[in-house]
Amino acid sequence: PGGVDLAEVCGGAGRTSQVAIRRRLKAGPNFDLVTDCDLCDRDDAAKAYRYFQKHDVYCAVMAPICGPYGARSHLNWHMYPDTMAKKEKEARPVAAFCGRVALLQLSKNRHFIQEQPHPSSLYEVTPWPTVKKDPRVCRHIYHRCKCQLRGREGDYRGLYIKIPSTM
């Protein structure tokens, strides 16, 4: 099978793919619930992983759920430990899937980008500790406001988003 410039994991509406197409890049699938791909389902996850195995994906662009892992979750872990344990159990398969894709991309001398808030405990989920040890892997911390990102709704609509994130 031929190669693609990027494929998304947890890409939501697929905005990265849309921009890529406008830039005349070749975009692969977006593996997300909005495209009827549930990465918590073993069969869906296996099909998605096979795609990365069979295709030459230059860059996997990943943005897994951050709810139970991000900095803002710490208070919820303290106040609602049972609920947060349930949420983390639901999110863990996707976190692990993204780590497996990252390892696969590295083994093929290809690339990945993963967005998460800073700090994030997602990187403690296996196999992320192994991914992070690879000397080719780096992390950049940035504030979303530096990318001109603004709130889309609610009380903060139109205001810059000053939330630290990592890629």
Side-chain angles (χ1 to χ4, degrees):
V4 296
D5 294 305
L6 66 91
E8 292 186 75
V9 177
C10 303
R15 288 188 182 102
T16 302
S17 294
Q18 292 169 19
V19 170
I21 290 167
R22 278 190 230 133
R23 302 271 184 198
R24 298 189 179 162
L25 298 173
K26 189 172 180 184
N30 174 18
F31 300 103
D32 192 288
L33 285 173
V34 300
T35 60
D36 292 324
C37 179
D38 182 357
L39 295 172
C40 292
D41 177 82
R42 287 182 192 262
D43 291 337
D44 283 359
K47 287 176 191 173
Y49 191 75
R50 274 195 303 276
Y51 178 85
F52 285 96
Q53 286 177 312
K54 290 182 180 181
H55 293 83
D56 188 19
V57 178
Y58 183 75
C59 186
V61 179
M62 305 182 287
I65 188 169
C66 60
Y69 301 114
R72 295 180 176 202
S73 70
H74 295 295
L75 181 60
N76 286 334
W77 274 104
H78 180 72
M79 294 176 62
Y80 312 105
D82 294 339
T83 300
M84 289 304 288
K86 179 182 171 194
K87 295 287 185 188
E88 198 279 334
K89 185 178 179 183
E90 292 169 357
R92 184 172 283 264
V94 178
F97 176 84
C98 289
R100 288 179 38 232
V101 169
L103 282 175
L104 178 63
Q105 288 290 101
L106 290 168
S107 75
K108 295 169 84 175
N109 287 316
R110 292 299 183 195
H111 308 279
F112 71 90
I113 296 174
Q114 174 156 294
E115 187 275 332
Q116 276 287 293
H118 175 73
S120 175
S121 60
L122 177 135
Y123 299 111
E124 296 168 15
V125 175
T126 302
W128 279 108
T130 304
V131 173
K132 286 174 41 180
K133 287 179 185 173
D134 189 296
R136 296 170 291 172
V137 174
C138 62
R139 177 179 70 160
H140 294 281
I141 301 169
Y142 67 98
H143 284 269
R144 294 179 187 185
C145 60
K146 293 207 175 189
C147 300
Q148 304 295 312
L149 295 175
R150 298 174 185 254
R152 298 174 115 187
E153 55 191 38
D155 294 340
Y156 301 104
R157 182 183 176 143
L159 299 177
Y160 288 109
I161 300 172
K162 189 179 180 193
I163 297 174
S165 290
T166 60
M167 289 226 185

